[in-house]
Amino acid sequence: MHDEEFEDADDENVISKSQRKRESTALQDLGKELFELSRDQLKKMDLPESLLGALLEAKRLTSHGAMRRQMQFIGKVMRDIEVEPINQQLAVIRGESNLAKAQFHALENWRTRLIEDDTALSEWLARHPETDVQQFRQLIRNARKEAAEAKPPKSSRALFKILRELSQTQRQAQDQPEAEA
């Protein structure tokens, strides 16, 4: 009777070979997705040193066989780390997270307000004093002119790009004091 209790407990914790294989393949797929990111994106992510080193090494390789072995090694390294934070960071990079979508829509709203309303520029400058005012005004003028003439929105896109860069810089500046504290 005593031996049967141990056997039942062991049966609950046993993972089938197929399940282990699926988990291993999922980790390799996640590693492949990380591998497809640029070096800069990888370095900005909060990855364990061993995983980052393995990914950067994989980017250096050119031989198909060596690449395959390195991807398997990346999967092995990933078995020992928590993958959920990595999945969350990838979702932000892909723009799938709610936060990333909200930030994108907020920037689109700013761009629209800046183009349509002259008072929005004063409000933006109050929040972002590091903004190059002359460049901003030029882009806003050009965006209005392009819209009036039904031309492609080149200046509007350039304005959005600058808005995104400035807001990212500000978010990073806000995050740094928290990390230092």
Side-chain angles (χ1 to χ4, degrees):
M1 178 79 178
H2 189 66
D3 291 335
E4 289 176 17
E5 290 176 17
F6 285 121
E7 287 178 14
D8 289 341
D10 288 342
D11 288 344
E12 293 173 7
N13 296 331
V14 172
I15 299 175
S16 71
K17 185 175 179 182
S18 299
Q19 180 62 30
R20 285 196 313 258
K21 178 99 171 161
R22 280 191 296 271
E23 290 171 0
S24 176
T25 303
L27 289 175
Q28 284 183 10
D29 290 344
L30 182 60
K32 189 172 193 164
E33 189 173 354
L34 287 169
F35 170 74
E36 291 170 357
L37 297 175
S38 71
R39 288 179 183 272
D40 289 337
Q41 287 175 315
L42 286 173
K43 289 178 181 176
K44 287 179 185 175
M45 291 181 71
D46 183 25
L47 297 174
E49 197 63 38
S50 58
L51 179 59
L52 180 61
L55 287 163
L56 294 176
E57 177 66 19
K59 288 195 167 291
R60 191 185 64 77
L61 300 173
T62 57
S63 165
H64 177 71
M67 180 70 71
R68 184 182 53 78
R69 287 188 299 275
Q70 188 67 16
M71 293 309 290
Q72 286 176 338
F73 176 70
I74 289 170
K76 181 181 177 184
V77 168
M78 292 182 71
R79 283 186 227 154
D80 299 330
I81 61 174
E82 182 65 36
V83 295
E84 188 53 36
I86 295 172
N87 279 325
Q88 290 172 356
Q89 292 176 64
L90 283 172
V92 170
I93 288 172
R94 284 187 234 115
E96 294 175 357
S97 74
N98 292 335
L99 177 63
K101 288 178 185 176
Q103 290 170 347
F104 181 82
H105 289 301
L107 291 175
E108 282 184 328
N109 290 337
W110 266 112
R111 175 179 59 183
T112 303
R113 286 181 55 205
L114 286 166
I115 292 172
E116 294 174 357
D117 184 13
D118 290 330
T119 59
L121 180 60
S122 302
E123 190 178 334
W124 176 267
L125 293 174
R127 294 181 184 190
H128 303 274
E130 70 279 5
T131 303
D132 182 357
V133 181
Q134 184 177 0
Q135 180 186 24
F136 240 53
R137 286 194 173 127
Q138 182 67 44
L139 286 172
I140 292 169
R141 272 195 304 271
N142 290 346
R144 290 175 181 166
K145 184 178 177 183
E146 290 166 356
E149 297 175 0
K151 290 186 175 180
K154 179 182 174 186
S155 297
S156 180
R157 289 182 187 131
L159 181 62
F160 183 82
K161 184 178 178 184
I162 292 173
L163 290 171
R164 184 176 54 211
E165 290 170 357
L166 288 170
S167 65
Q168 285 175 347
T169 303
Q170 185 180 32
R171 271 195 303 275
Q172 289 171 351
Q174 289 172 349
D175 291 345
Q176 285 178 348
E178 293 173 6
E180 293 172 1

